[in-house]
Amino acid sequence: MTRPSTTDTQRPSGRPSGIGESVPRPDGRLKVSGEFAYSSDLWLEGMLWGATLRSPHPSAWIRSIDVGPALAMPGVFAVLSHEDVPGERFYGLEHRDQPVLAVDQVRYQGEPVAIVAADHPETARRAAAAIVVDYEVRPAVTDPRRAAFDPSCPAVHPGGNLVRHQPVRVGSTFAAEVVVTGEYEVGMQDQAFLGPESGLAVPAEDGGVDLFVATQWLHVDQGQVAPCLGLPPEKVRLALAGVGGAFGAREDLSMQVHASMLALRTGRPVKMVYGREESFFGHVHRHPARMRYEHGATADGRLVYVRAEILLDGGAYCSSTLAVVGNAASLGVGPYEVDNVWIDAYGVYTNNPPCGAMRGFGAVQACYAYESQMDRLAAACGLCPVEIRVRNAVSQGSRLATGQLIDSPAPLAEMLTELAAMPLPPDAPTTGAPFTDPAGTGMDAAGPDLRLLPGGVAQATRGEGVRRGVGYGVGIKNICFSEGFDDYSTARVRVEAAGGEPHVLVRTAAAEVGQGLVTVQAQIARTELGVERVTVAPADTGVGSAGSSSASRQSYVTGGAVRAACVAVRERLGALRAAHPELSLVEVLERCGPVEETREFRHRPTFPMDPVTGQGNSHTQLALCVHRAVVDVDVDLGLVRVVELAAVQDVGRILNPLALEGQIHGGSAQGLGLALMEEIQVREGRVLNPSFTDYLIPTILDMPPMRLSILENPDPHAPYGLRGAGEPPTLSSTPAVAAAVRAATGLDLPRVPIRPEDIALV
């Protein structure tokens, strides 16, 4: 079977390789050459292929399921429905409300109803299509406002449609000299990872199963899969296969239980790989949001109060909605000082596609609204967008709306000042500007360079309607898990003699999903132990949990665990070397044997938000990023070109400069996508664009040059003083781009993504 091997991260001769250095990724060359084994590349002799039958309806009762036609097909080894689930029939990330296979009803288009194993993937797909399901279609609940507030609305689940209501209440003054209001909407964004859901389940001799899968959280998968299979956790062993992107969507289960059920039923390895269309139905998306905000301020622009209603559509099942609502509520006014706050954040069930974790996790939606409001407030007070933010910026010693003290550096005003001082790009191209044609495109040399205009060479104008705009955005994001979650990671570090020199083996269950965690773990080991040869073993459930690769937490908690284990190893080695002063390190290891230590690392405790007031120390760390966007907009065609993004971000301590820059670029690209093009189109519960033909994501031609300033103001509570960095750029880039488009067009634009028809002037 092909799977990722252990990763030897020994540095090239003479190159620095510890914390603070741009150490190359050990998997980088394999990925760019196409040699890296992703989960969809897994192969085992004699394996079968799995396929899933999914509901075509957003809401329906199931009257009957006839698997006979599928079982009669040559090459089919198993066809399973809910009646064949060997253990618990429901699972869920935070609330076990989702059936392994639909029982008596379906609640969203694409819900799994039956699964098939066959000797060829096409046979499996045809067999799944041959299953006959008798549905009684019923009206779908698709309006989240009706689901939340209309007592006559049908209940998607027996307990009603409200997943969570989280208020935040501070102060009592809700009148001001200047008042601005707005209603905002954020569309349903997809994580759009390139590697589809896939994995291989292998039945084991002990009656259990070995599952090789692309995931973000091995142990929470194990905790959900094992009960559904009717097995103890130790008989469900998971190993991380190559992950082709994640961004939150792999926190929830996809094919894990299904492949395992088929493997145990047939006694053969079973591989499942989703196609692109199925992937859109097979994972959660970003919660779409409808938000109402009111900001009150003094005449000189100092905030007096904020009122907000944040409504998040969680779709058919709970997934991460509970936590997403908590983040939206606690961060709902942004990184601004305001004494009076009245927030109501709601998460609701509907028959729309399930929504869960995506980069930014509740804070993205709120950020778009509160930043749009700050621009409105600036205009109402006669201030520039930067000044209104500087006057209200939090700093160390400020408190969030939840009452939580910001007890580490938060130099937001300084970050904004630095951002505003960055030079702007050259002026926009104008009609009749000189043009050279080095690429030999044959374009008219008398006109502007069409490649620098919105729409590029395919557009129909010559830049007559192009206007430039500049906009700013600020975001604050919690790092690590919040609200009392037992958030920890485990690391096992072993030092031994190998080939005449010391060698370090680092083992954790932390998922490498492309963020560079494998590299950072090795850097920490080299820094703490002074040993250059370091191997990071593939992640699996054979070591204690490392939690999820989400919430920008792995460098913090797994980095902390690796560091703690290394310190313990170092102390033991120091004692051994003191006992054998005449021996070198490798000689000590050869005489005394390997030294191994396992450590858990937990960040300081957090606490649930008060259910009535929203008060409480719900977060362990907060991170800030600010963006400036420069755009050119063709107001005749409604086309936008982002000319430049500039960002200032405080990361506490830089562990790997090049990898960090990549995280900021990547987060900014996803924020740009949400601002201008990325949206799953859902009509009456049905997805209209489940393909990369119709679901648009930024390409290299859409992503502009970036100007970065990365600050290091260490957090005294975090390992190495670091501050999680992967998510904050996704927050602030979206409102910055939207603000720039508003500045260019003079339009209100209360919704993202901004579509051409929202812009084109008649």
Side-chain angles (χ1 to χ4, degrees):
M1 180 180 67
T2 304
R3 61 167 293 198
S5 61
T6 54
T7 306
D8 190 334
T9 59
Q10 184 177 9
R11 69 174 186 176
S13 178
R15 296 185 60 181
S17 55
I19 289 297
E21 302 294 338
S22 291
V23 180
R25 295 176 59 105
D27 57 356
R29 185 179 297 276
L30 294 173
K31 286 181 173 176
V32 298
S33 67
E35 299 173 81
F36 185 81
Y38 289 98
S39 58
S40 55
D41 297 316
L42 295 171
W43 184 273
L44 199 61
E45 191 68 31
M47 73 181 187
L48 302 174
W49 295 80
T52 309
L53 174 68
R54 297 179 179 274
S55 167
H57 307 294
S59 180
W61 295 106
I62 297 176
R63 290 174 171 169
S64 64
I65 302 174
D66 183 3
V67 302
L71 279 171
M73 295 178 63
V76 173
F77 283 74
V79 183
L80 307 180
S81 70
H82 70 91
E83 295 178 345
D84 302 295
V85 177
E88 296 182 11
R89 294 194 293 176
F90 292 84
Y91 68 91
L93 194 60
E94 296 185 34
H95 177 57
R96 301 202 172 205
D97 62 349
Q98 191 158 356
V100 172
L101 294 166
V103 180
D104 57 351
Q105 60 183 301
V106 291
R107 292 185 172 92
Y108 71 97
Q109 181 196 21
E111 180 156 1
V113 175
I115 51 177
V116 174
D119 58 5
H120 190 278
E122 186 57 36
T123 302
R125 285 191 287 269
R126 288 191 290 110
I131 299 169
V132 179
V133 183
D134 184 8
Y135 294 102
E136 180 185 331
V137 179
R138 62 190 181 191
V141 176
T142 59
D143 182 348
R145 185 163 294 281
R146 181 172 179 242
F149 305 123
D150 184 350
S152 68
C153 182
V156 177
H157 287 270
N161 294 330
L162 184 63
V163 179
R164 181 179 183 182
H165 169 217
Q166 180 58 61
V168 178
R169 305 284 191 263
V170 181
S172 58
T173 301
F174 293 93
E177 297 172 286
V178 180
V179 176
V180 295
T181 62
E183 295 191 14
Y184 304 97
E185 189 172 346
V186 174
M188 183 184 291
Q189 188 180 20
D190 189 72
Q191 295 85 351
F193 43 65
L194 298 185
E197 291 83 355
S198 50
L200 179 66
V202 183
E205 292 182 357
D206 65 355
V209 65
D210 294 300
L211 181 60
F212 303 87
V213 65
T215 182
Q216 291 178 243
W217 196 344
L218 288 163
H219 281 82
V220 83
D221 282 8
Q222 183 187 49
Q224 294 176 89
V225 173
C228 295
L229 299 179
L231 294 172
E234 62 271 16
K235 287 195 174 183
V236 179
R237 296 165 290 269
L238 279 77
L240 187 70
V243 181
F247 313 113
R250 299 190 200 271
E251 278 202 328
D252 292 78
L253 296 183
S254 57
M255 45 62 63
Q256 286 93 323
V257 180
H258 298 159
S260 299
M261 283 175 58
L262 291 168
L264 292 172
R265 173 60 68 93
T266 62
R268 301 265 293 272
V270 174
K271 177 178 178 176
M272 297 188 78
V273 180
Y274 290 179
R276 181 56 57 193
E277 179 176 308
E278 186 175 18
S279 180
F280 274 94
F281 293 105
H283 65 250
V284 297
H285 315 288
R286 186 186 298 286
H287 290 70
R290 300 180 187 180
M291 297 167 286
R292 296 173 175 172
Y293 269 74
E294 179 179 299
H295 279 55
T298 60
D300 63 353
R302 301 190 184 276
L303 284 172
V304 175
Y305 74 87
V306 174
R307 289 182 183 268
E309 177 189 275
I310 303 168
L311 179 59
L312 298 158
D313 184 351
Y317 294 105
C318 180
S319 184
S320 303
T321 296
L322 294 166
V324 169
V325 169
N327 279 5
S330 63
L331 304 174
V333 302
Y336 302 113
E337 292 190 333
V338 54
D339 293 331
N340 305 280
V341 176
W342 186 288
I343 291 176
D344 288 288
Y346 302 90
V348 297
Y349 287 123
T350 66
N351 291 123
N352 292 321
C355 293
M358 185 176 173
R359 196 176 197 166
F361 203 80
V364 163
Q365 295 90 329
C367 182
Y368 177 67
Y370 65 65
E371 284 300 276
S372 298
Q373 283 287 100
M374 293 302 286
D375 284 337
R376 287 190 177 190
L377 193 61
C381 295
L383 298 172
C384 77
V386 172
E387 180 59 29
I388 194 78
R389 290 168 168 85
V390 168
R391 290 190 183 188
N392 294 285
V394 297
S395 59
Q396 187 169 0
S398 298
R399 291 188 182 273
L400 299 180
T402 60
Q404 181 163 355
L405 179 70
I406 300 176
D407 59 358
S408 63
L412 179 55
E414 293 87 342
M415 294 166 68
L416 283 161
T417 302
E418 179 175 350
L419 180 70
M422 289 182 176
L424 289 164
D427 291 340
T430 57
T431 302
F435 167 58
T436 59
D437 188 16
T441 62
M443 291 184 287
D444 184 0
D449 187 340
L450 302 185
R451 295 167 297 184
L452 301 180
L453 293 176
V457 297
Q459 72 155 358
T461 71
R462 294 286 170 148
E464 297 88 351
V466 174
R467 303 177 187 175
R468 176 155 289 189
V470 179
Y472 293 85
V474 174
I476 184 169
K477 177 66 177 68
N478 61 306
I479 305 301
C480 298
F481 292 151
S482 301
E483 292 200 75
F485 189 90
D486 185 16
D487 194 9
Y488 70 96
S489 183
T490 312
R492 184 174 299 151
V493 174
R494 177 185 178 94
V495 180
E496 60 190 342
E501 56 182 318
H503 175 265
V504 178
L505 176 66
V506 178
R507 190 178 179 197
T508 74
E512 169 63 65
V513 297
Q515 80 276 42
L517 179 63
V518 168
T519 315
V520 166
Q521 290 180 76
Q523 289 179 265
I524 291 171
R526 292 194 194 97
T527 298
E528 297 298 333
L529 295 174
V531 175
E532 286 301 325
R533 287 192 59 200
V534 179
T535 297
V536 179
D540 60 33
T541 51
V543 66
S545 178
S548 175
S549 287
S550 61
S552 305
R553 61 180 288 283
Q554 286 292 12
S555 291
Y556 194 124
V557 290
T558 294
V562 172
R563 183 190 193 191
C566 285
V567 169
V569 166
R570 189 176 67 215
E571 291 173 351
R572 284 187 56 195
L573 287 174
L576 289 172
R577 296 196 72 177
H580 304 280
E582 75 284 2
L583 300 181
S584 67
L585 174 58
V586 71
E587 290 170 334
V588 167
L589 292 169
E590 288 172 341
R591 174 177 293 188
C592 302
V595 174
E596 180 177 282
E597 292 289 343
T598 301
R599 290 292 184 274
E600 289 182 352
F601 176 86
R602 283 174 168 81
H603 58 66
R604 54 184 174 160
T606 60
F607 303 91
M609 298 172 67
D610 185 277
V612 176
T613 66
Q615 299 302 288
N617 293 330
S618 59
H619 304 308
T620 190
Q621 189 185 62
L622 298 159
L624 296 167
C625 184
V626 299
H627 269 87
R628 183 187 70 196
V630 179
V631 304
D632 286 341
V633 183
D634 188 325
V635 297
D636 297 325
L637 297 177
L639 301 174
V640 179
R641 175 176 177 260
V642 182
V643 177
E644 182 189 79
L645 286 174
V648 180
Q649 185 167 341
D650 185 357
V651 301
R653 171 81 182 276
I654 299 174
L655 302 188
N656 185 312
L658 192 59
L660 174 62
E661 290 178 17
Q663 286 290 295
I664 298 174
H665 279 254
S668 300
Q670 286 186 305
L672 182 156
L674 178 59
L676 297 177
M677 62 187 73
E678 292 192 46
E679 182 177 9
I680 294 180
Q681 300 284 336
V682 182
R683 298 291 182 272
E684 297 302 317
R686 299 180 183 275
V687 176
L688 304 183
N689 59 334
S691 73
F692 282 166
T693 300
D694 300 308
Y695 182 89
L696 304 179
I697 58 176
T699 69
I700 194 170
L701 295 177
D702 299 299
M703 189 60 188
M706 284 201 68
R707 194 184 300 268
L708 300 183
S709 175
I710 302 174
L711 309 182
E712 295 186 89
N713 292 291
D715 180 346
H717 309 287
Y720 300 111
L722 66 86
R723 196 179 303 275
E727 292 176 290
T730 311
L731 273 66
S732 49
S733 50
T734 297
V737 171
V741 177
R742 290 192 196 106
T745 63
L747 298 172
D748 195 30
L749 303 175
R751 186 185 191 280
V752 287
I754 299 167
R755 294 172 280 209
E757 59 265 33
D758 299 329
I759 298 171
L761 303 180
V762 179

